[in-house]
Amino acid sequence: MIRLALVGCGPWAQDYACVASRLMGAVVAVAVDSDARRAAWAARLLNAAPLVVGSPECLASHAAEFDAIILHVPLADHSQYIHGAAAAGKHVLAAPPLTLSVSDACSLHQCSQQAGVRLMVASADRFLPSLTTLKSSLDKGQLGQLGLMRLHRWETVGPDQRDSATDASHGESAACLARDITLCHWLFGQMPTQVLAHGRGGPGAALPFHYLQLHLGFAAGGMAMLDYTRDLPRGSGYFSLSVIGSSGAAYADDQHNHQLMFTGGRATSVPTEQGLLGQLGRLQEFVRAIEQQRDPAGGSGEACQVMTIIEVAQQSIASGTVCQRREGDGVYVPT
Amino acid sequence: MSQPDAPSRPVFPCAVLSVVKHAYVARGVFSHPRFRPVVVADDPHVPEWTHERNQKFADECQVPYVRDINKALTEYGAQVAVVSTEAERHCEMSLRAVQAGLNIVQDKPITTENAIESCQKLVRAVESSRRKFLLWNRNFLPAVQQAHALIQAGEIGKPTAIHIDFYFSKDAGPPKGSSRPGDSPLNWQEYLIAAHVTSGDGGLGKLPMGELEIEGIYPLAYMHRLIGLPVRRVFARTTAHFHQLYADNQVDDLATVTLEMENGVLGTLCLGRIGAASHPDIGEIKLHVLGTKGALVMSEARPEVAVYYRGQPPAEFRNRRVAIDNDYQLMDNFAHAIDTDGETILDARAGLEIVRVVTAALQSGRTGKPVDVLPVFS
C-alpha cells in the first residue's frame, strides 16, 4: 500500500478526501502544512496524520512516514520540494505548470529520472470522462488524423478559488496556459511548429493576462486554437474542447450538458458535472505508475515540453509576432 | 398575409443573372412578395450546361430566358438584379447591372482573391449611383439575431473577443489520400458541376477556391454584425485536410484565423468542410462572445427539432433547423433599404472589407506570417 502525503492543505483537500477512499493501492497517510490548523483540518477530512512542516528540509526528516507526495505548494516552491523529494526517494504528483522556466523544469525532470522516482505533472482535466472518451476515439483511429483542436475555457477565479500553487502573477499566467497547452500536447503528441499568442489584463486587474488566446500550428497542417478568460462574472464557468479529425470529430462541450431550471424570469441553465472522477483518475494513474514502475501519463518530460510552449507563448505575447520552430535544433524564432 | 388597410408597396421586377450555381439565392429573393422574377439571363458565350440550368430556372419561374444580359437589364423593366454566377463572374455581372441602374442582390463571395480591383469598381459604382446592394448572408438566422439583440442590450457589456466555429459536415468527393499513384488530379470545375445536385457547388468556377474563400463570408459577416469593428491584422493556418479534391487543387478545406480588430478586440475563426461523418446535422456552428460584463455561447443551429424514424436515410439530418426566416428577412431588409434610401445589412463595402480579411488570411496561410489587412481602397 502506497502512503501518500498531501503537502499543502487548502480547499482542494476536500476533493482528495472524497476520492481517497476509492483509491486502489494507496492511502493518504499524512496531511502536511506549515499551518497547524490547516494540517489538522485536512488530516481529519482525509483520516490521515497531521504534520506541521514549513520547508522541504523539515519534510525530509519525516520521510519515513510516506512514499509519495501530492504537491500543493506555491509554484515558486515546486523546485525545492521536488528536489528534496527526489533526494529522499519520494515520488511526486504536481499540477501544471511544473515550474516557472524550461531550465528549471528540465532540471527537475533529470533529477527525478536519476533518482528513479516518478514525477507526474497533470491536472484532473485529462482524466475527465468527457476527455478520456474524446482521446480514446482519437487513439482508436475513429477520427482519423487530428487536424484541429479548439478549446474555450472561461472561468471566474476569485480569491477563495485560487490554488496556492498559482498565487504569483507570473505563475498565474503560466498556470492558465499550462493546463490547456498540456491538453493540446496530449492530443497532438508533438511540439507545435508555430505559436501566436495574445494576452491582456482584465478591467482594473492587477494581474496580467486575464485573457489569453493561442493559435498553434503543427506538422502536416495541424492546428489548435485556444482561448482562456478569468473574467466571467462570478458563477459558473464554461469549457469546450472539440477535435476535428480527417474522418470524424468529437465535441466535449459544456453547452450540451446544461439543464434548465425555472425560478421566475429567464430560465437558468445548470450544468450536470462530471463529479470528481477526473481527480480520482489522476490520483489512480499516479499510484499505478508507482506500482508498475513506469512513467505516468503526464510525466515530467511532457511537462518540460509544455513549459517550452509556455515560454514561447509568452515571447509571442511580448513581441506580437509568430514564433516558428526551426528545423534541426527545434528552437523557436520570431518570424 | 395581405393587409387590406395597409398602403400598397411597389413590387420590384427582378432580372435573375445566371443561376449556374445555387438557385437558393433567387428562391430566397422570391420568398418575399415584393420581389418577382421577370427574366432570367446570361451571356451567350457561357457553356451549354450553364444555359440548361438557367433555362430550367426560367421555366420554373415561368419567365423568359434570354442569352443577352444587356437586353435583360434594359428591356424587361427590372429594378433588381439577382446575381448567382460563378464567383469569378460575380463582380463583373453586378457592375453591369449597377451601371444599368439596377439594385443588386448577389450571392457570396462578393469576389475572388484575384479580382479585388473589379470589386473596388463595383463598390464605387454602387455608392456613387446610390443603388442598393445586398451580399447574401445568414445574419438573420434566429440565433445570430438573438446574439445581436443581447449584445445591443448591453447584456454582456462591451464585446472584447469573439470566437466562431463554422464547421459544415459535407463531403466533397473522395477523402484525401485516396488517389493512387498515376491518378490525374481531380478537376475542380468538373467536380463542382457534378455537385450541383447536392447543392455542394458553392465554389463553382474555373478557378479552385478554398473554403475560407467560399464560406468565410458567413462567419466574418457575423463578426461584422456583432462586433462591427475593422480587422487590422490576421494570422491564419490553412490546409487541405479532408478531401482529395481540395488537396489536388491546393486549396483549403480547413482553416483557422486569428483576427486583431480595432480597439484591441480579438477574434478567432475555425472553419472547415469537415466531412459528413463528423456531425449528425449540417455541422457545428457556434458563436462565442466575451464582453466586459459577461459572455455568450450561442449555437447557430437553434432552434431545431429532432426527428427520428424507422427507415430514416442515414444522410438525413436528425436535427432540423426550424423558424428560419433568413431569406424573407434579408429581402425585407433590402426592400426597406430601397424604400428609404437606407443601408442593407451587408452592403458592397462590407463585402469588400470581408474579402480583404479573407485575402490577408490566405496570404498568411501561405507565408506563415501575420498579414496586415489592407483598407478597402488601397
Side-chain angles (χ1 to χ4, degrees):
Chain A
M1 186 68 73
I2 294 166
R3 296 165 304 156
L4 301 169
L6 175 63
V7 178
C9 298
W12 48 87
Q14 296 179 78
D15 290 351
Y16 288 116
C18 289
V19 301
S21 61
R22 297 179 60 176
L23 263 186
M24 306 278 211
V27 291
V28 181
V30 191
V32 184
D33 204 286
S34 57
D35 182 287
R37 280 185 304 178
R38 279 209 302 261
W41 167 77
R44 272 198 305 277
L45 283 174
L46 291 158
N47 197 23
L51 186 57
V52 183
V53 156
S55 71
E57 295 77 19
C58 293
L59 186 60
S61 65
H62 294 272
E65 296 170 39
F66 56 89
D67 306 304
I69 289 171
I70 307 167
L71 193 63
H72 275 273
V73 298
L75 185 54
D77 297 337
H78 271 200
S79 280
Q80 269 189 301
Y81 273 93
I82 294 169
H83 275 299
K90 307 299 178 186
H91 312 279
V92 176
L93 169 61
L98 178 54
T99 59
L100 288 170
S101 73
V102 175
S103 57
D104 282 353
C106 292
S107 164
L108 293 179
H109 169 62
Q110 285 168 4
C111 161
S112 299
Q113 293 276 305
Q114 285 164 4
V117 295
R118 311 295 149 201
L119 173 55
M120 178 171 164
V121 188
S123 67
D125 290 346
R126 68 194 284 171
F127 301 97
L128 285 170
S130 55
L131 299 196
T132 54
T133 300
L134 183 149
K135 181 68 159 65
S136 168
S137 297
L138 202 55
D139 290 346
K140 287 177 189 165
Q142 292 168 339
L143 310 184
Q145 186 188 339
L146 179 56
L148 168 64
M149 179 195 124
R150 170 68 128 162
L151 184 151
H152 308 280
R153 190 194 294 274
W154 300 349
E155 57 189 14
T156 303
V157 182
D160 60 332
Q161 292 171 272
R162 285 182 188 155
D163 188 312
S164 65
T166 59
D167 58 1
S169 60
H170 180 61
E172 286 206 31
S173 300
C176 297
L177 285 166
R179 270 183 307 179
D180 296 334
I181 289 176
T182 300
L183 289 177
C184 188
H185 189 273
W186 176 50
L187 293 172
F188 271 98
Q190 56 180 281
M191 294 295 279
T193 54
Q194 289 183 307
V195 178
L196 175 66
H198 291 83
R200 65 172 173 228
L207 298 173
F209 305 155
H210 275 217
Y211 175 81
L212 289 159
Q213 180 177 304
L214 258 75
H215 194 165
L216 306 177
F218 291 89
M223 47 193 99
M225 196 73 98
L226 300 81
D227 60 270
Y228 169 84
T229 185
R230 58 192 304 143
D231 279 342
L232 278 193
R234 203 156 183 77
S236 300
Y238 170 72
F239 179 78
S240 165
L241 196 159
S242 305
V243 290
I244 312 290
S246 55
S247 59
Y251 310 92
D253 187 341
D254 278 355
Q255 193 185 19
H256 292 288
N257 297 316
H258 272 67
Q259 316 289 6
L260 295 177
M261 183 167 72
F262 301 89
T263 54
R266 274 186 194 158
T268 308
S269 74
V270 183
T272 302
E273 307 279 5
Q274 298 176 70
L276 289 169
L277 292 173
Q279 191 62 279
L280 176 61
R282 171 182 180 250
L283 215 48
Q284 193 65 69
E285 167 60 14
F286 179 53
V287 169
R288 285 194 184 124
I290 296 169
E291 286 173 341
Q292 296 166 7
Q293 298 180 30
R294 61 166 172 82
D295 285 336
S300 51
E302 183 184 287
C304 294
Q305 295 189 320
V306 168
M307 199 61 230
T308 300
I309 302 170
I310 291 170
E311 281 196 356
V312 175
Q314 288 170 333
Q315 284 169 26
S316 175
I317 291 170
S319 64
T321 59
V322 175
C323 294
Q324 178 91 31
R325 191 166 194 247
R326 205 160 52 196
E327 282 185 31
D329 61 6
V331 171
Y332 288 85
V333 291
T335 59
Chain B
M1 190 70 70
S2 64
Q3 295 178 348
D5 296 335
S8 63
R9 293 187 163 188
V11 171
F12 302 106
C14 300
V16 179
L17 306 185
S18 192
V19 276
V20 63
K21 190 172 47 178
H22 298 123
Y24 75 75
V25 172
R27 291 202 177 96
V29 170
F30 303 128
S31 70
H32 196 290
R34 292 188 64 194
F35 297 87
R36 70 177 171 85
V38 291
V39 65
V40 176
D42 212 327
D43 284 318
H45 57 74
V46 299
E48 198 52 39
W49 59 268
T50 304
H51 289 307
E52 287 169 13
R53 288 183 183 177
N54 291 335
Q55 182 68 61
K56 188 178 172 189
F57 189 74
D59 293 346
E60 181 184 319
C61 296
Q62 299 181 309
V63 297
Y65 172 53
V66 297
R67 300 185 181 203
D68 184 336
I69 293 290
N70 291 335
K71 185 177 177 184
L73 293 175
T74 56
E75 295 184 10
Y76 289 83
Q79 295 175 27
V80 171
V82 182
V83 177
S84 189
T85 60
E86 302 92 325
E88 62 227 27
R89 288 203 295 151
H90 277 169
C91 273
E92 175 249 336
M93 193 68 86
S94 290
L95 185 59
R96 287 159 73 182
V98 170
Q99 287 169 341
L102 275 67
N103 301 291
I104 310 293
V105 179
Q106 192 202 283
D107 197 2
K108 50 81 188 174
I110 193 168
T111 190
T112 53
E113 186 186 6
N114 53 7
I116 298 286
E117 278 185 28
S118 68
C119 190
Q120 289 173 326
K121 282 183 194 167
L122 173 63
V123 174
R124 285 195 177 99
V126 167
E127 292 180 350
S128 63
S129 66
R130 300 197 66 78
R131 297 297 99 183
K132 300 305 161 191
F133 183 100
L134 174 68
L135 182 61
W136 204 252
N137 64 84
R138 295 154 64 111
N139 283 357
F140 280 118
L141 288 178
V144 180
Q145 289 198 85
Q146 186 182 19
H148 182 253
L150 290 167
I151 291 169
Q152 290 300 305
E155 296 272 356
I156 63 165
K158 193 174 167 188
T160 57
I162 181 165
H163 307 287
I164 299 187
D165 297 345
F166 202 89
Y167 314 128
F168 45 103
S169 55
K170 282 186 176 177
D171 284 329
K176 183 182 171 188
S178 59
S179 71
R180 292 163 300 184
D183 282 356
S184 300
L186 293 170
N187 182 283
W188 182 263
Q189 191 175 26
E190 283 176 13
Y191 177 82
L192 271 289
I193 291 170
H196 186 64
V197 289
T198 60
S199 298
D201 56 344
L204 179 64
K206 289 178 187 163
L207 299 173
M209 296 167 68
E211 291 300 330
L212 195 52
E213 203 170 6
I214 301 168
E215 300 288 338
I217 157 76
Y218 289 138
L220 291 170
Y222 296 161
M223 290 190 190
H224 177 81
R225 177 79 170 147
L226 300 179
I227 307 296
L229 291 172
V231 179
R232 297 303 185 205
R233 191 175 80 144
V234 295
F235 172 66
R237 297 268 304 173
T238 55
T239 190
H241 191 69
F242 307 102
H243 311 292
Q244 192 64 45
L245 176 71
Y246 288 69
D248 284 351
N249 288 279
Q250 298 174 354
V251 290
D252 63 273
D253 55 19
L254 181 66
T256 49
V257 187
T258 293
L259 304 105
E260 299 170 2
M261 297 177 221
E262 206 163 86
N263 300 338
V265 174
L266 292 167
T268 65
L269 167 63
C270 295
L271 175 146
R273 188 186 186 101
I274 63 175
S278 293
H279 197 272
D281 308 315
I282 189 64
E284 189 78 346
I285 302 179
K286 296 188 73 163
L287 317 173
H288 291 81
V289 189
L290 287 161
T292 50
K293 285 169 42 187
L296 286 174
V297 178
M298 309 288 289
S299 176
E300 190 233 45
R302 307 291 194 272
E304 56 187 11
V305 169
V307 179
Y308 315 96
Y309 59 92
R310 189 177 299 152
Q312 193 168 15
E316 185 174 283
F317 298 151
R318 269 56 179 167
N319 293 294
R320 299 179 190 172
R321 292 174 172 225
V322 296
I324 297 171
D325 202 23
N326 191 60
D327 293 353
Y328 177 86
Q329 301 252 10
L330 281 175
M331 293 316 298
D332 210 45
N333 171 267
F334 187 62
H336 187 257
I338 296 173
D339 290 342
T340 62
D341 193 21
E343 302 298 319
T344 63
I345 192 166
L346 199 66
D347 61 17
R349 183 176 284 262
L352 179 51
E353 284 171 2
I354 286 172
V355 165
R356 284 294 199 194
V357 174
V358 169
T359 302
L362 291 171
Q363 192 187 340
S364 175
R366 286 191 284 265
T367 61
K369 295 178 179 176
V371 172
D372 290 335
V373 177
L374 293 173
V376 165
F377 285 114
S378 67

